[in-house]
Amino acid sequence: MPHDRRRPVTSETNGKCVVLDAPPQIIIGLLESLRAELLRHVQEGAESILLNCKATTYVDSPGLSMLVRVRAAAMERGAVFALSHPTPALLEQLELTCLTGLLHPDHDGPDCTR
């Protein structure tokens, strides 16, 4: 059965680091499942959560708000949340909304390979 690209796929690369593959668009109709998955990992004690955005080309305003809120929830628990591998279109959107430094601070995200 093929993977539904609207839902995130989780692969743990290290016990405390989680990488999720984001859907092509992070839009209002898909936010609840993505938000729930991200917050589940925050609540389970992940130290680093990366949202791999290599296929994501658009995030609507509610989606950007959700990402900022997930980052805040992660920070409250001492965790790191960041976007990794944003497409040029997504990176431009982050730059236009002044969220690059907040959601994609080092342009690589936390190192989950250690």
Side-chain angles (χ1 to χ4, degrees), residues 40-53:
R40 179 176 71 83
H41 291 292
V42 169
Q43 293 167 351
E44 289 177 355
E47 293 175 2
S48 297
I49 303 167
L50 287 178
L51 187 59
N52 183 353
C53 294

Side-chain angles (χ1 to χ4, degrees), residues 22-98:
Q25 295 186 338
I26 300 174
I27 55 176
I28 198 163
L30 307 174
L31 292 183
E32 188 54 36
S33 64
L34 180 58
R35 183 188 69 77
E37 183 72 4
L38 291 167
L39 290 177
R40 179 176 71 83
H41 291 292
V42 169
Q43 293 167 351
E44 289 177 355
E47 293 175 2
S48 297
I49 303 167
L50 287 178
L51 187 59
N52 183 353
C53 294
K54 66 181 177 186
T56 306
T57 57
Y58 179 73
V59 181
D60 65 9
S61 294
L64 290 171
S65 177
M66 181 273 299
L67 294 172
V68 170
R69 289 180 181 179
V70 167
R71 180 185 179 273
M75 288 182 65
E76 285 177 7
R77 292 189 173 243
V80 175
F81 171 73
L83 306 181
S84 68
H85 308 297
T87 59
L90 179 56
L91 193 52
E92 181 178 5
Q93 188 178 13
L94 292 173
E95 290 170 356
L96 288 172
T97 57
C98 299

Side-chain angles (χ1 to χ4, degrees), residues 4-5 14 20-21 24 37-39 46-47 53 73 79 82-83 88 101 105-106 113:
D4 180 354
R5 289 296 298 151
N14 181 336
L20 293 97
D21 290 331
E37 183 72 4
L38 291 167
L39 290 177
E47 293 175 2
C53 294
L83 306 181
D106 63 9
T113 59

